[in-house]
Amino acid sequence: TGPAASGKDTIADSIKKIHGSRLVKFPGSAIYRSVALHLEKRSKCIGKETFEGMNVGIYFYDYGECISIEQYGCSSSYFPNDYNTQKAADLASIYASKYTAFMNFIECTEVVGKFVYDNKRDNKNVLLAARSSWSIGQRLEAIDDESVFLYLYVTANETTRIKRLRNRLMNAREPDIDAKINDELRRD
């Protein structure tokens, strides 16, 4: 748990590198961005009903996660070259700050819970590096008597976070960098 550009993914990647195949990182950013791309394609207005019947699947390949979204017989698949773009990040940030229903769906325990339970069945533990991992974890039911949830709050001072966000946006050659940084800081 922690704000934008605080190092959540970096720490999760380091922990995964140490513990190897016993850990699986939940692709929260990939889902967050893929759902935003899906909504942009399919929906004109967003409310609670927008997410009715929506199912999210996560498939792992050597080149990254595939996020599959199915709803009312229509399906879309999103790959790293789709969701690892600045457009996808910006769109997800806009939806997150504008629509409560979007964040409620993203934090839905069904998506996260299924991922956690499926991996637990395969004797793997899940790393959830997300802004809202604390609230998501609080809503998950205990998997068994041996389950342990470890929460870390990761943060960095505002100057460091601004520097990281600025570098990320500049590398993506994004316009309106200061406005996008302010949006991210306001969301946190």
Side-chain angles (χ1 to χ4, degrees), residues 31-47 50-51 54 78 87-106 131 183-184 187:
I31 291 172
Y32 174 72
R33 293 171 178 191
S34 295
V35 170
L37 290 168
H38 179 78
L39 293 175
E40 180 192 40
K41 246 194 318 192
R42 305 229 184 267
S43 299
K44 298 298 177 225
C45 69
I46 297 175
T50 306
F51 301 97
M54 186 181 289
Y78 300 92
K87 175 190 174 195
D90 291 346
L91 193 58
S93 289
I94 290 166
Y95 286 165
S97 61
K98 202 170 176 183
Y99 303 108
T100 305
F102 177 77
M103 286 311 296
N104 289 343
F105 179 77
I106 297 300
R131 288 182 193 189
D183 286 344
E184 285 293 331
R187 277 188 52 218

Side-chain angles (χ1 to χ4, degrees):
T1 297
S6 61
K8 297 178 298 292
D9 282 322
T10 303
I11 290 171
D13 289 340
S14 296
I15 292 170
K16 183 170 176 5
K17 199 179 274 187
I18 292 167
H19 294 283
S21 62
R22 291 185 358 224
L23 289 174
V24 179
K25 185 176 160 193
F26 180 77
S29 295
I31 291 172
Y32 174 72
R33 293 171 178 191
S34 295
V35 170
L37 290 168
H38 179 78
L39 293 175
E40 180 192 40
K41 246 194 318 192
R42 305 229 184 267
S43 299
K44 298 298 177 225
C45 69
I46 297 175
K48 185 179 177 184
E49 64 283 348
T50 306
F51 301 97
E52 290 175 7
M54 186 181 289
N55 294 305
V56 177
I58 306 161
Y59 305 95
F60 290 92
Y61 299 101
D62 291 339
Y63 52 85
E65 297 90 13
C66 169
I67 307 302
S68 172
I69 301 173
E70 294 180 25
Q71 188 175 29
Y72 304 125
C74 296
S75 66
S76 301
S77 295
Y78 300 92
F79 297 91
N81 61 329
D82 300 313
Y83 57 74
N84 283 337
T85 63
Q86 193 59 49
K87 175 190 174 195
D90 291 346
L91 193 58
S93 289
I94 290 166
Y95 286 165
S97 61
K98 202 170 176 183
Y99 303 108
T100 305
F102 177 77
M103 286 311 296
N104 289 343
F105 179 77
I106 297 300
E107 294 176 358
C108 169
T109 55
E110 287 178 37
V111 175
V112 181
K114 182 177 180 340
F115 187 81
V116 171
Y117 299 134
D118 288 350
N119 279 286
K120 182 66 176 179
R121 188 182 57 234
D122 294 336
N123 294 315
K124 293 183 179 180
N125 295 301
V126 174
L127 289 169
L128 177 59
R131 288 182 193 189
S132 54
S133 59
W134 173 261
S135 62
I136 293 169
Q138 293 297 304
R139 291 189 300 235
L140 286 174
E141 293 179 22
I143 298 166
D144 57 38
D145 292 339
E146 298 174 8
S147 295
V148 175
F149 291 99
L150 173 65
Y151 300 98
L152 301 174
Y153 182 79
V154 179
T155 192
N157 67 42
E158 190 169 298
T159 303
T160 300
R161 292 176 51 227
I162 289 170
K163 182 179 173 185
R164 289 175 182 167
L165 288 167
R166 185 173 305 285
N167 286 340
R168 189 182 303 162
L169 293 167
M170 286 175 60
N171 288 338
R173 302 179 193 273
E174 284 298 309
D176 303 322
I177 290 173
D178 289 331
K180 289 177 181 177
I181 289 170
N182 288 332
D183 286 344
E184 285 293 331
L185 295 175
R186 190 172 35 255
R187 277 188 52 218
D188 293 329

